[in-house]
Amino acid sequence: MANELLIGTYTDRLPHVDGHAQGVLTARFDGSAVTDVTVAARVENPSWVTAAPGDAHVYAVSETEPDGGVAAFARGADGVLTELGSASSGGPSPAHAVVHPSGRFLIAGTYGGGTVSVFALADDGSLGERTAFVRHEGRGPDPERQDAPHVHQLSVDPVSGDVVVVDLGIGEVRWHAFSEEGALTLRPEATVVLGSAGPRHLVFHPDGRHVVLVNELDSSVDVLRRDGDRFVRVQSTTTRADGAEGDNLPAAVCVSDSGRTVLVSNRGDDTVAVFAFDTEASRLTLVDSVAVGGRAPRDLVIAPGGDRVLAACQDSDEVTVLAFDDADRSLRLLGTSPVPTPVCLRFV
């Protein structure tokens, strides 16, 4: 049975990417290839896409300057996206957005502005009023990449319900209490400071007790362990194989449903790092580094069924497909499918 896939892309040539897609794409994945790639919505630089619970409503950022945007869409039974409206993201170059598990709010963050906005969502999925707005201040140790706040990812803590903000620019991961009205209240005692490591993306382990965090600037991946109402950093290790040389920028991290395996994409090495995760010891062990089959892998997703991994290879205009066996933590390239400037992958 084929699965439908939403693909976020770049449409413009920017300093860090030669974007030439035409907007949000939809495609089919049959287990071996990505096919029937079509333009679902013409949005400028929709580099991140997400969906509400049930997948009836889809949201995309528009990574533009001097102000970015977020757009809402109704998704029909045939997969067609119908725009419901858009709003300012509250700053330039939004990089990420997530729908609250309640389906009542959209949370968006800007890389260029270092801001977080919360939007109420109407019953029809459209964007309502902004219920919260936070602007980070400060900078990190790296004068080039951490000259200002750069919010890179947002998520919701599955245990506490807090909104978690990963800011590469100030080198911190911040936890915010989230109210029923959509307000954010910083919990400064819960902030995790990574500094020059450059935190980029994190994923909650299925056990709810651990977080795995990938750092872009030093090619590391960290284990955070829940300690009461906050997390503490208990391990940091490299995402690169022994002997790897040259520039490298990790991008995405995902964990298998069993929690046994963690995968990290490496741009530069153009590999997927495969880690075994020991929950008792709160420890990652690198067991393999597999060529991804394309250039600059951004997002990684494990397909429904759990035996395939897809990688969005931004600079080689393809989505690559790898066979995945969680039991023995093996990963093997099966093939590639042409897709223009893919960045984000979301099964619906």
Side-chain angles (χ1 to χ4, degrees), residues 205-270:
H205 191 274
D207 67 4
R209 182 170 169 256
H210 294 94
V211 162
V212 182
L213 170 70
V214 66
N215 299 299
E216 178 173 336
L217 302 186
D218 70 352
S219 293
S220 67
V221 60
D222 294 343
V223 176
L224 310 181
R225 185 172 61 212
R226 194 180 297 275
D227 181 13
D229 61 356
R230 65 190 187 99
F231 280 83
V232 295
R233 188 184 190 191
V234 294
Q235 186 202 11
S236 184
T237 189
T238 182
T239 68
R240 309 184 75 180
D242 289 344
E245 298 180 345
D247 294 335
N248 184 66
L249 300 169
V253 57
C254 61
V255 59
S256 64
D257 287 344
S258 72
R260 299 180 69 250
T261 309
V262 171
L263 306 173
V264 175
S265 62
N266 282 307
R267 297 169 293 166
D269 294 348
D270 294 336

Side-chain angles (χ1 to χ4, degrees), residues 22-48:
Q22 297 182 56
V24 178
L25 308 177
T26 59
R28 305 287 285 173
F29 177 61
D30 62 8
S32 60
V34 175
T35 62
D36 301 327
V37 179
T38 60
V39 179
R42 295 187 182 276
V43 179
E44 187 176 5
N45 296 330
S47 59
W48 193 264

Side-chain angles (χ1 to χ4, degrees), residues 43-304:
V43 179
E44 187 176 5
N45 296 330
S47 59
W48 193 264
V49 293
T50 189
D55 299 328
H57 301 113
V58 170
Y59 303 89
V61 305
S62 182
E63 191 176 322
T64 57
E65 297 181 348
D67 191 26
V70 289
F73 303 88
R75 177 174 169 269
D78 56 0
V80 171
L81 299 183
T82 302
E83 186 169 351
L84 299 171
S86 61
S88 166
S89 59
S93 301
H96 203 266
V98 63
V99 179
H100 189 267
S102 68
R104 298 175 52 225
F105 300 96
L106 177 72
I107 310 164
T110 67
Y111 183 87
T115 65
V116 179
S117 294
V118 180
F119 299 90
L121 297 177
D123 290 343
D124 66 356
S126 60
L127 297 165
E129 66 175 356
R130 194 190 306 263
T131 63
F133 180 77
V134 173
R135 185 186 300 277
H136 288 178
E137 296 181 355
R139 62 181 62 192
D142 187 317
E144 181 178 350
R145 294 296 310 279
Q146 295 182 308
D147 59 324
H150 298 308
V151 173
H152 220 310
Q153 191 211 24
L154 305 151
S155 56
V156 178
D157 187 321
V159 175
S160 70
D162 291 344
V163 171
V164 185
V165 183
V166 181
D167 191 315
L168 185 150
I170 60 176
E172 294 181 358
V173 181
R174 295 182 171 182
W175 266 254
H176 297 256
F178 190 72
S179 75
E180 292 186 1
E181 294 75 31
L184 294 172
T185 303
L186 178 65
R187 296 204 302 113
E189 76 284 358
T191 295
V192 179
V193 178
L194 288 305
S196 60
R200 178 185 171 95
H201 272 215
L202 62 76
V203 63
F204 281 87
H205 191 274
D207 67 4
R209 182 170 169 256
H210 294 94
V211 162
V212 182
L213 170 70
V214 66
N215 299 299
E216 178 173 336
L217 302 186
D218 70 352
S219 293
S220 67
V221 60
D222 294 343
V223 176
L224 310 181
R225 185 172 61 212
R226 194 180 297 275
D227 181 13
D229 61 356
R230 65 190 187 99
F231 280 83
V232 295
R233 188 184 190 191
V234 294
Q235 186 202 11
S236 184
T237 189
T238 182
T239 68
R240 309 184 75 180
D242 289 344
E245 298 180 345
D247 294 335
N248 184 66
L249 300 169
V253 57
C254 61
V255 59
S256 64
D257 287 344
S258 72
R260 299 180 69 250
T261 309
V262 171
L263 306 173
V264 175
S265 62
N266 282 307
R267 297 169 293 166
D269 294 348
D270 294 336
T271 60
V272 177
V274 183
F275 294 89
F277 189 65
D278 183 341
T279 55
E280 292 300 317
S282 300
R283 187 168 183 84
L284 291 167
T285 302
L286 182 65
V287 297
D288 204 357
S289 184
V290 179
V292 74
R295 298 196 313 276
R298 287 283 299 263
D299 203 11
L300 287 176
V301 293
I302 300 174

